[in-house]
Amino acid sequence: MAQGIRDDDGASNTSHNPSLTDLVEQAIAQNPKRRLLLKSGLGLAAIPFLGGLAACGGGDEVVTPAPVAPVVPPEQMLSFAGVDTSSGDAIVVPAGYVATAFVPWGTPINNAAPNWKVDATGGAADQEQQVGDNHDGMAFFGFNSGANGFGERSDEGLLVINHEYINPEYFYAPDSDTADWLAPFTYEKARKALAGHGITIVHTKRAADGSWEHVKSSLFNRRIHGNTPISIQGPAAGHALMQTAADPSGTVALGTLNNCGNGRTPWGTYLTCEENFNGYFGWNGERTPNALENRYGISASGFGYRWHTVDPRFDVNVTPNEPNRHGWIVEIDPFAPASQAVKRTALGRFKHENAELVIAPNGKAVVYMGCDERNEYIYKFVSTGTFDATNPTSAANRNLLADGTLYVARFDAGATAGDNMGSGVWIPLVYGQNGLTDANGFSSQGDVMIRARQAADRVGATMMDRPEWVAANPKKAGEVFITLTNNSRRGGTTSNNADGSTTAGSARPPVDEANPRANNVWGHIVRWNEAGGDGTALSFNWDIFVLAGQPSITDARKPSANATLDNLFNSPDGLAFDSFGRMWIQTDGNFSNAGDFAGNGNNQMLVADPETKEIRRFLVGPSGCEITGITWTPDRKTMFINVQHPGEVGSHPNKPAAYIDDNWLARNPTSFSQWPTSGQRPRSATVVVRRTDGGVIGT
C-alpha cells in the first residue's frame, strides 16, 4: 500500500536483524581491502539481486582489487558421510578419502635388514630387524626444523608402533608334524616370536602427492622387542619380587611384551603399555600357583605360546619372579636411538591398555589407565614433580613419571536409581594407608605397585566391564572417557575378594549404575568430569556416554538412544580425541554379523561428538581384524590407524567352507584373507588415511 512506502531516510523494517549495509560494513571492518573490492564493482557483482548498482561508482577512483583468498567454511564436527558396515576383505572409508597400507609385519626397518619371506620361513634374527606383528597403539612424533629432534612438523617424523602379539597360524611356516604345524617347537621359534613383539620406530616422510614413505636410510629406525634390555625404575626397582638369577639386582628386565595401547608425553617420549603378559608364562611339572600368580592369571599353559617349554625364563617353576617384571608402563625416547627404555613402576603393575597423559592446571602430570580384564579397575597416576612448560624436553620433565601417587577409582551411584550417572572418588594406593599395611600383607610401596590389583581389591575400587582405552577431551579440562569393552560375567553375586585371592577374571559381580547390564556383550563408554576440571582432584561426577547394542532390544539390555541402526557396533576398545575435539572410537568385537551382532559387520572406527553424543561410522576394516591405534600429523591432514590380526577366522561369515582349525589355516594361509597384499598371507599393518583433496581428516 502507498502509505507503507518510505523514502530513503525512513525505515519500513523495524526488526533488529542486520541490514545489508551493516553486513557490508562488518565485512569491511574485518578486512579493509574489501572496500577497494566493492569500489571496483567486483564485490557487488557477486550479489545477483543488486545487479546495476555495481555501476554506480560516481567519481570514485576505480582500484584494481587484490586477489581474494577463497572463503574457507568453519570446520564441522561430523561433516563426512558415514559408511555402511561390511564383511569384506578390504578397508572402507568415506567418499573423498583414501586408505593405504603402510609398513606391514615383516617390513625391513632399514636398508641393511633382510626382506620378509612370503612363506614365513624367516628366523628370529630376521624378525629382530623387521617390523613386528599385530600393530596396536601408535604415535606420530613430528621432527623439529632440523629433522634431528622432537618438534611439530607434519611432513616428516617418527612413527612409533606397538606390536601386541603374534598369530602363530600365519607367523610360522608349518613344520614336519602334519597334525601340529608348530611341532616340534624350538627355542629358535620362541625367539622369533619374542622378536615379533615390542615396538617399531620408523622414520616417515610425506611426499608431494600426500603419500608417505619409510626412510630406510635413517638412523632413527629401530626395534625394541622381547629380548631387548630395559631398565626398571621407581618404587618396585630392586624389590625382592623383581629379582631373578639372571638379574639379581632386579633393575634390568629383558624385553617388553604384549604391547597394547600407548601414550605420549609433552616432553617427546612414548609410553607403551604391557597388557596380557601372563599368557606367555607357564610351567613344566607340578606347581600350585600362589595368590599373586592367581590374581594376575598365571597358569600352567598360558595362552598356548609354548615358550615355557623351551625357554626357562618363561617357566615359572624355574624363574618364579619373571612375571613380576612385566605388566608395566614403559617409557621410550624415540629420538635417542642409543637410549634404553625404562619401566616406570610408580604407575603400577596390571594389564595396561593405554596411558592418557594430561598436564593438570597446577602442572602435575596425570596419567589415566585401565586394566583390561573383566572385573578390573580404572587408575590414575599424579606426579610429584611439576611440568616445566618453558623447557619441555628438560631432564626434570623427562623424570616426572619416576615418582608420584597411584589412585584407583570408585564409582558411586547417584540419587536417582537407573539414571546411569553418579559421583566417584580416587583412592590412593599408598603403603600404610587404606588398609595397605603389613597386617594385610603389604610390606612397602614397591610391594603395593607390584601387587596393584590386590591393593585395589583391598581399598574397595569398583569392578568395571573390562576397562580399555582412556581419552581426555582437549576442549574441556577434566573431562575423560573410557571404553568398557564387554563383560560376559556381569550379573552374578560374587566380587573380587578384599584379600586379593580371587583368580583373575573369575568373579561374577552384580550390575551397578556404572555397569548396568548383565552379560554385557556389546560394551559401553563411561565419561567422568574431575572436580573443578582438575586432573589431580580426588572426586568426580560420571555418566554413561553410550551403551552399545541392538536398538530393537527394549528390555534391561537395551542400548542408549545414540546407538542406532546407522551406527551399529559392539565392543568399543580404542579411543582417542583429535585436536579439534572429535572422539574416535575403534572396535574389537564379534564380527559374526549374526544374532546379537547382526548388522555389525567387521570391526570398525566411528567418530563421536562429545557434546551432542552423535556417533557416525568412518571406517570398516578387512576380514577378521581389529581396528586399533590412532595418531595424526599436527596439521591433521594425515591419520594413521592400525589393522591388527587380519585373517583371524573365528565366527566370521566368510570363513572358508573347508576350514577345520588353525593347523589347516597354517597350511592354507591365503584361504580366508589376503589383506593387504593379494596372493599373500594376511599381515597386520598401519593404514594411512588421507583426504583426496589434501584437507583435514574428519571434515
Side-chain angles (χ1 to χ4, degrees):
M1 297 176 63
Q3 61 264 36
I5 299 175
R6 304 283 185 179
D7 61 23
D8 291 341
D9 295 323
S12 61
N13 185 343
T14 59
S15 78
H16 296 288
N17 295 328
S19 68
L20 176 61
T21 301
D22 295 331
L23 294 173
V24 170
E25 290 301 320
Q26 288 174 17
I28 291 171
Q30 292 172 5
N31 185 354
K33 290 183 178 179
R34 289 172 174 164
R35 185 178 299 277
L36 299 179
L37 176 63
L38 289 171
K39 284 186 176 183
S40 72
L42 183 59
L44 289 178
I47 307 176
F49 63 85
L50 291 182
L53 292 180
C56 299
D60 291 339
E61 180 182 359
V62 176
V63 180
T64 302
V68 179
V71 176
V72 179
E75 188 170 346
Q76 301 297 313
M77 184 64 72
L78 301 175
S79 58
F80 63 90
V83 300
D84 292 334
T85 60
S86 168
S87 291
D89 196 30
I91 294 278
V92 179
V93 291
Y97 284 83
V98 61
T100 308
F102 187 57
V103 292
W105 159 49
T107 300
I109 61 168
N110 55 40
N111 287 328
N115 290 324
W116 178 71
K117 294 181 179 179
V118 176
D119 61 1
T121 56
D126 289 355
Q127 183 60 71
E128 287 178 354
Q129 303 172 73
Q130 297 167 341
V131 173
D133 197 10
N134 280 334
H135 302 35
D136 206 316
M138 170 177 54
F140 177 85
F141 292 86
F143 274 127
N144 57 17
S145 58
N148 59 5
F150 178 46
E152 289 295 321
R153 284 177 58 179
S154 292
D155 64 326
E156 189 171 6
L158 302 180
L159 193 61
V160 188
I161 307 167
N162 283 353
H163 304 290
E164 186 178 9
Y165 65 104
I166 64 165
N167 282 91
E169 65 271 28
Y170 297 122
F171 191 75
Y172 298 107
D175 214 318
S176 57
D177 189 330
T178 58
D180 180 358
W181 85 103
L182 286 175
F185 195 75
T186 63
Y187 180 68
E188 167 68 11
K189 290 178 181 176
R191 284 190 63 86
K192 179 181 178 182
L194 283 161
H197 289 69
I199 298 94
T200 298
I201 300 170
V202 293
H203 184 161
T204 60
K205 188 174 184 179
R206 185 159 57 191
D209 63 359
S211 63
W212 286 79
E213 63 178 5
H214 174 191
V215 184
K216 291 186 178 180
S217 60
S218 172
L219 296 178
F220 288 107
N221 295 311
R222 65 169 163 150
R223 284 295 321 280
I224 298 170
H225 50 71
N227 281 313
T228 304
I230 297 175
S231 66
I232 301 170
Q233 181 278 331
H239 191 280
L241 288 173
M242 301 289 279
Q243 297 170 4
T244 65
D247 175 32
S249 70
T251 58
V252 181
L254 195 59
T256 179
L257 300 173
N258 211 257
N259 303 89
C260 187
N262 71 289
R264 61 182 300 154
T265 71
W267 47 91
T269 61
Y270 181 77
L271 305 178
T272 184
C273 304
E274 299 178 335
E275 190 193 10
N276 293 309
F277 64 91
N278 60 304
Y280 304 106
F281 295 92
W283 56 80
N284 300 302
E286 298 297 321
R287 182 181 184 83
T288 300
N290 59 38
L292 178 60
E293 291 164 354
N294 274 332
R295 191 64 186 85
Y296 281 82
I298 307 298
S299 63
S301 299
F303 293 167
Y305 285 101
R306 311 186 195 185
W307 298 357
H308 69 282
T309 68
V310 295
D311 187 343
R313 179 156 71 104
F314 296 95
D315 183 342
V316 185
N317 274 335
V318 178
T319 317
N321 283 346
E322 186 66 22
N324 303 331
R325 295 149 65 85
H326 301 273
W328 304 101
I329 298 289
V330 183
E331 187 171 13
I332 299 165
D333 184 351
F335 294 97
S339 64
Q340 189 172 72
V342 181
K343 298 201 177 193
R344 297 292 192 183
T345 67
L347 280 71
R349 174 176 169 261
F350 44 88
K351 292 187 177 183
H352 287 276
E353 183 68 17
N354 83 317
E356 178 76 337
L357 191 151
V358 299
I359 301 299
N362 63 0
K364 303 294 184 182
V366 179
V367 185
Y368 294 101
M369 301 164 285
C371 179
D372 181 12
E373 191 159 13
R374 292 171 296 192
N375 312 321
E376 291 302 333
Y377 307 116
I378 299 170
Y379 301 82
K380 80 172 177 182
F381 166 87
V382 179
S383 67
T384 298
T386 57
F387 177 67
D388 180 3
T390 64
N391 188 12
T393 60
S394 68
N397 283 346
R398 288 172 173 264
N399 209 36
L400 280 177
L401 303 185
D403 185 52
T405 302
L406 183 67
Y407 298 85
V408 68
R410 190 185 75 217
F411 287 76
D412 299 324
T416 304
D419 65 355
N420 296 332
M421 61 179 60
S423 59
V425 295
W426 292 104
I427 308 169
L429 298 181
V430 176
Y431 172 64
Q433 300 180 17
N434 301 310
L436 304 180
T437 62
D438 292 88
N440 288 322
F442 295 94
S443 60
S444 66
Q445 186 62 22
D447 191 37
V448 171
M449 295 297 95
I450 293 168
R451 301 167 54 204
R453 279 185 167 184
Q454 293 172 305
D457 293 341
R458 173 61 63 179
V459 304
T462 300
M463 302 163 63
M464 306 296 285
D465 287 353
R466 283 190 62 193
E468 300 234 32
W469 289 63
V470 188
N473 187 345
K475 298 299 185 181
K476 186 176 181 182
E479 183 170 78
V480 187
F481 296 73
I482 189 166
T483 52
L484 301 171
T485 291
N486 53 53
N487 190 354
S488 61
R489 291 181 178 268
R490 177 71 65 176
T493 58
T494 60
S495 297
N496 291 336
N497 298 326
D499 64 3
S501 62
T502 306
T503 298
S506 66
R508 294 183 177 274
V511 298
D512 58 40
E513 287 290 312
N515 304 273
R517 296 189 294 192
N519 187 28
N520 180 16
V521 299
W522 297 296
H524 59 295
I525 297 175
V526 165
R527 164 174 58 187
W528 68 87
N529 279 275
E530 301 275 23
D534 183 354
T536 67
L538 298 183
S539 63
F540 57 89
N541 293 318
W542 65 267
D543 69 317
I544 291 180
F545 181 78
V546 61
L547 287 161
Q550 293 286 354
S552 60
I553 293 176
T554 58
D555 60 19
R557 301 174 68 215
K558 68 182 179 181
S560 53
N562 55 338
T564 71
L565 289 173
D566 291 329
N567 64 20
L568 285 175
F569 68 96
N570 74 89
S571 300
D573 189 337
L575 193 71
F577 277 90
D578 65 26
S579 60
F580 184 71
R582 299 180 188 86
M583 187 169 73
W584 297 76
I585 305 166
Q586 300 171 316
T587 71
D588 178 22
N590 189 301
F591 42 64
S592 65
N593 211 32
D596 283 341
F597 311 101
N600 284 220
N602 291 342
N603 279 304
Q604 57 187 275
M605 182 166 68
L606 309 100
V607 189
D609 182 331
E611 292 295 325
T612 68
K613 294 188 175 183
E614 180 185 354
I615 300 172
R616 190 175 299 177
R617 186 181 302 108
F618 179 87
L619 175 149
V620 181
S623 299
C625 82
E626 168 189 351
I627 299 298
T628 185
I630 186 168
T631 188
W632 296 264
T633 54
D635 62 10
R636 288 189 286 116
K637 293 184 177 181
T638 301
M639 175 171 67
F640 302 91
I641 62 103
N642 283 325
V643 168
Q644 188 184 97
H645 61 75
E648 277 196 1
V649 175
S651 57
H652 199 279
N654 296 333
K655 68 180 177 182
Y659 174 81
I660 301 172
D661 54 20
D662 282 350
N663 185 55
W664 180 91
L665 192 60
R667 301 174 193 282
N668 299 275
T670 61
S671 62
F672 175 47
S673 173
Q674 298 179 18
W675 191 90
T677 306
S678 179
Q680 296 183 5
R681 67 186 61 226
R683 294 195 281 168
S684 180
T686 295
V687 175
V688 180
V689 180
R690 300 180 288 117
R691 282 182 57 119
T692 54
D693 64 1
V696 171
I697 301 294
T699 57

